[in-house]
Amino acid sequence: MAPFAGMLCAAALGLLSARFLHRATPGAVIALSAVACAAGWYDAVADGRVLYGTVTDFHIFFPVGRFSVSDWLTFLWSAAGVGCLAAWWGAAVSLRRTAGLRRLSRRYTTADAVLEGWRSAGRKYGEVTVVFEDRAGVRHEVPAVVERSALRRDVLAVYDADHPGDPALTRVAVPHRKLLRLS
């Protein structure tokens, strides 16, 4: 029953952490689940229940063959490595999409923005005009390239406070959708 309980816990972890980990969630869940399973095998070896050369019939949904404990550990550490790479890739995509690093900088400021116009610049991207008001209430219209998915979402203009109309210093951030809106 432990593998099934572990899978349910991993699914719950993924659902609960998706709000904070964004696109890094699947990779993080895979990596943590593989490390937890490997820790279980190491505990079983330390308790003397199995040896590294012991061949097991361990399977989750269907029999995949008879593998030794060391084969399972090799597979699990490989899965953990792939999960880590997927988590880093997902984190990088999320940071770029949400302009997370720019938003942390004191140099940049955010403002609610509206995207106007759309001219395709590839399959997923297009050129738009970002319309926003800076802190002084001055309206700016800045050209930008955004993903097509940004057209149907609330967006933020992340701009340099000293040069709010500069297209080279202005980015469009697509914040993560809120799960529950209380307003």
Side-chain angles (χ1 to χ4, degrees):
M1 290 301 292
F4 298 111
M7 285 188 295
L8 289 175
C9 289
L13 170 70
L15 291 174
L16 293 174
S17 65
R19 169 73 176 105
F20 304 102
L21 295 179
H22 301 267
R23 292 184 181 206
T25 302
V29 169
I30 289 169
L32 289 174
S33 298
V35 169
C37 192
W41 281 115
Y42 284 124
D43 287 345
V45 170
D47 290 345
R49 295 182 190 169
V50 293
L51 300 172
Y52 287 109
T54 303
V55 176
T56 65
D57 286 334
F58 177 76
H59 61 275
I60 297 174
F61 292 116
F62 52 89
V64 292
R66 296 174 51 88
F67 298 106
S68 69
V69 172
S70 60
D71 291 338
W72 279 110
L73 288 171
T74 301
F75 168 75
L76 290 169
W77 285 114
S78 300
V82 169
C84 286
L85 290 174
W88 280 107
W89 177 81
V93 168
S94 290
L95 282 175
R96 180 187 55 79
R97 186 173 190 190
T98 61
L101 295 178
R102 279 183 184 246
R103 290 167 65 186
L104 290 176
S105 171
R106 293 180 193 259
R107 179 179 169 190
Y108 293 95
T109 308
T110 62
D112 290 331
V114 176
L115 303 178
E116 294 181 352
W118 171 266
R119 191 174 64 187
S120 182
R123 200 168 56 143
K124 288 177 53 177
Y125 296 94
E127 296 174 358
V128 295
T129 301
V130 183
V131 180
F132 65 95
E133 289 184 5
D134 63 12
R135 286 192 174 173
V138 178
R139 180 182 163 110
H140 298 278
E141 295 183 8
V142 180
V145 175
V146 297
E147 290 184 34
R148 184 180 300 268
S149 62
L151 296 176
R152 299 179 303 271
R153 305 273 303 270
D154 295 332
V155 295
L156 296 173
V158 182
Y159 62 94
D160 187 338
D162 296 332
H163 303 85
D166 188 355
L169 299 175
T170 302
R171 297 287 182 268
V172 174
V174 181
H176 194 67
R177 288 184 178 154
K178 296 193 186 307
L179 295 177
L180 298 173
R181 291 197 185 245
L182 300 176
S183 56

